[in-house]
Every structure is written in structure tokens, then in C-alpha cells.
Amino acid sequence: MSFALAGLLRHPIVQAPMAGGVSVPRLAAAVSEAGGLGFLAGGYKTADGMYREIKQLRGLTSRPFGVNLFMPQPEHAETGAVEVYAHQLAGEAAWYGTELGDPDSGWDDGYDAKLAVLLDDPVAAVSFHFGVPSPEALASLRRAGTVTLVTATTVEEALAVERAGADAVIVQGVEAGGHQGTHRDVPENDGSGIGLLSLIAQVREAVALPLVAAGGIMRGSQIAAALAAGASAVQLGTAFVPTPESGAAAAHKEALTNPLFVCTRLTRAFTGRPARGLVNRFLREHGRYAPAAYPEVHHLTAPLRKAAAVAGDAQGMALWAGQGHRMAREMPAGELVEVLAAETGAVWAASAADAEGGAER
């Protein structure tokens, strides 16, 4: 890893910042302590709440870690589609004994306040999802000593990240669990995502920035493949969900390998933006009707998802998961980092031995 991130980790493994309570301080600390780069999710928190988690994480490790921010979203003028969807979800609210959320709870996720916190009290790395920060914001973070990374799902998005002045691109393949980090939500593009290895190759030819590969990675052999394709590091999310340090609900952890959940699908059902999750009852019944309205739909369904999680009802939860979910392993996060690093090293050693044997022949 010949770039700034190399000084922050021993192994080329970055823990994805999974919002919604999964990426808690104890998870990020365990990953960083093991030589990876742990991340906190700044999304869906207040600036104060994010800062409290940063302070808690600093009490758990002296190793570097990162924080992820969601870029502000444009306000939607059309409210009719959201109102129709809310009417459809009325039965869900009655079933779970809760009210639907207010879809107009906010569009910017407290971005400016969170950025101010990270400039006033810098962390080692900051990543961005759903768009590209201004060149001024990225330059300010760099002056503060922070490494910046921005998600891209296409070559065009990666070029925009490079023009803005980020330190690295997180190249997210369509296999990834959770939200696709597209810079613009264009419904006409639903289902047109690019697989990770193809995307790495395309972006590698177009931009000079280092790449962090994300999307369905669960084994060291996949890490080795991504690195061989041109990535400098990899980012894993689903692999860390079942760890004891993860903040994911027990029903979410169990569902990853439960044969009842046979596949994943990109859906707008829970948040109004394409996100990959295990196919459950809620997704099947409502996915086709969900409007392209993020974060309105996220706010609308938040109480439903919370109530389902409290009840342990996996059929009503947003079970975010990448395509490799059935390969999930239950082990401590630090041990998982070490196992992944050893698996990756074994692949490289075998490749080197094969190459040497071929040269001798």
C-alpha cells in the first residue's frame, strides 16, 4: 500500500462503516487493534452522538481509526409517492404497534456539524458515502492530518472523486451489502451495477488514486484477487456483522447463514435508496412499491425496523448483507482480521511457489 492509508494499518483490511448501530466503538477498536482499520458510522447520528462514540473508541484503542459521513441529499419536491407508500405501510405500523416516522425529518444528516467536529478534533481517516465532498472540505481535512476516502460505483464517479482531491477511492461493486454509494440516485439505473473485479479494472485504468475494494468479500482468497486486480486494500462489512463486537441485532446475525434466507436483492423498500439485503417478507411485499425518495423513506420506516428488531422478527428488519453472506463466520473481530490476513498470505505464497516452480521448469 504505497499511499497514506498504509501508515494506518498492518493488514490491507478496512472494516466498513455500517450505519444503524452495527459499527459500534468496540467493533472498530477490535479491528484496529488487530492491525486493520476500524471505522465508526457517522450516519444517522447527531454530531454530539458521533463525537461521544469517537471519545469512547479512543478509550478502547490507541490505534488509528476512521469515521464515515453521509453526504447531504437534495430535497424532493414530490411528496405524493411517499404519502402513498406511507398508506401502504399502515398495516405494518399496526402489526408492530408503532407509528410511522416523519419523512421530513431532515435531508443533510447533520453533515456540516459533523464535519466541523472532525476538523476540530481530527481522526486518522474520514470516508464519504452518497456523493463527493467539496475540494475545500477535503483540503481542510488533509491539512488536519486526516486521510480522505470517497465511495464510487462507476468510473465517472471515481473521476469526480479524483478531481475533488480525495486521497483514495472506495470502489464499491454491486455485490456489496447495504446502500450502494452512488453519487446520484437515478431510478433508471437500478440493477445496472458493476461487479467488483470488473469495476476495479475499469477504475484502475481511469484514475491514479489508490483503490480500496468493497463488495461481497468474505475470504482471504477474495482479498488476494482484489489486490491482484489493482486495489491497495479491501473493505469488508458483512464479514464483521456476526462478530460478538458487532452491534447488529441477534436476528440479523443469525439470518446471514440461516437457510431460510437464500439470497440478497437490491431494494428501496426500507430507505428509498438501493441497498442490498437478505430477501425477507418486508422486502418481498413492499420493495416493488417503494419510491425513489431517500432519506424520506428511511425516516418513514425507521420505527418499523426498530420495532421488528426489538421483537426479534427478521422478516420485518432491514437485513443488510452482501452476496457472500452465506460465508459468514462467527468469531471475534480481531481473530477474523488475523484469519483473513493469513488466508491472503497463503494465497500469495502459493502463487509465488507456483511461479518459482514454473521458472525452474
Side-chain angles (χ1 to χ4, degrees):
M1 290 176 290
S2 57
F3 69 112
L5 198 60
L8 306 183
L9 35 71
R10 294 195 308 274
H11 305 305
I13 296 170
V14 178
Q15 166 243 313
M18 297 166 281
V22 179
S23 296
V24 292
R26 63 180 179 273
L27 174 59
V31 172
S32 289
E33 283 290 307
L37 184 65
F39 256 87
L40 291 175
Y44 307 145
K45 299 183 180 76
T46 65
D48 286 344
M50 181 192 75
Y51 183 58
R52 286 195 296 271
E53 288 203 349
I54 291 173
K55 289 176 63 178
Q56 182 181 349
L57 179 49
R58 284 179 171 144
L60 296 173
T61 182
S62 59
R63 295 284 303 162
F65 62 86
V67 174
N68 174 258
L69 298 182
F70 286 165
M71 293 300 298
Q73 300 298 294
E75 295 190 21
H76 296 277
E78 291 292 333
T79 58
V82 177
E83 291 174 353
V84 170
Y85 194 51
H87 180 73
Q88 178 176 331
L89 296 178
E92 297 282 353
W95 174 259
Y96 288 112
T98 187
E99 299 290 330
L100 294 174
D102 179 6
D104 298 321
S105 297
W107 286 267
D108 68 355
D109 199 48
Y111 174 79
D112 289 336
K114 292 173 184 176
L115 185 60
V117 168
L118 295 170
L119 287 171
D120 183 63
D121 192 1
V123 297
V126 173
S127 65
F128 298 86
H129 214 54
F130 298 148
V132 185
S134 68
E136 293 76 19
L138 292 170
S140 295
L141 286 166
R142 184 177 298 107
R143 287 193 295 270
T146 297
V147 176
T148 56
L149 310 92
V150 182
T151 301
T153 63
T154 65
V155 171
E156 292 73 22
E157 291 178 351
L159 287 167
V161 172
E162 185 174 51
R163 288 193 297 270
D167 294 312
V169 182
I170 299 172
V171 180
Q172 185 192 39
V174 72
E175 305 95 332
H179 285 99
Q180 290 285 293
T182 50
H183 296 180
R184 293 178 59 249
D185 185 11
V186 182
E188 291 77 10
N189 292 342
D190 283 4
S192 63
I194 305 171
L196 180 58
L197 290 179
S198 294
L199 187 58
I200 293 171
Q202 293 176 36
V203 174
R204 181 70 290 149
E205 291 188 0
V207 305
L209 291 179
L211 310 182
V212 177
I217 298 175
M218 304 292 287
R219 294 288 188 270
S221 58
Q222 295 171 291
I223 295 174
L227 298 179
S232 296
V234 298
Q235 179 175 276
L236 297 84
T238 305
F240 287 106
V241 170
T243 63
E245 296 89 348
S246 157
H252 188 176
K253 295 181 179 184
E254 189 271 338
L256 293 177
T257 53
N258 186 334
L260 181 65
F261 301 98
V262 298
C263 65
T264 64
R265 186 183 303 166
L266 287 170
T267 183
R268 296 179 181 271
F270 298 100
T271 68
R273 239 184 186 271
R276 184 174 297 282
L278 299 175
V279 176
N280 61 2
R281 178 195 60 79
F282 193 102
L283 191 157
R284 286 192 300 269
E285 292 182 1
H286 303 295
R288 72 184 69 179
Y289 306 109
Y294 175 88
E296 294 98 324
V297 173
H298 160 73
H299 296 313
L300 186 71
T301 68
L304 300 179
R305 290 178 278 130
K306 181 177 180 180
V310 170
D313 181 8
Q315 296 295 341
M317 298 167 58
L319 302 172
W320 302 140
Q323 288 183 339
H325 66 95
R326 297 298 290 274
M327 300 169 72
R329 296 179 281 199
E330 294 184 29
M331 63 177 69
E335 181 180 340
L336 178 58
V337 171
E338 297 292 350
V339 167
L340 290 167
E343 290 174 346
T344 306
V347 172
W348 286 118
S351 298
D354 288 345
E356 183 178 347
E360 291 177 355
R361 288 194 296 271

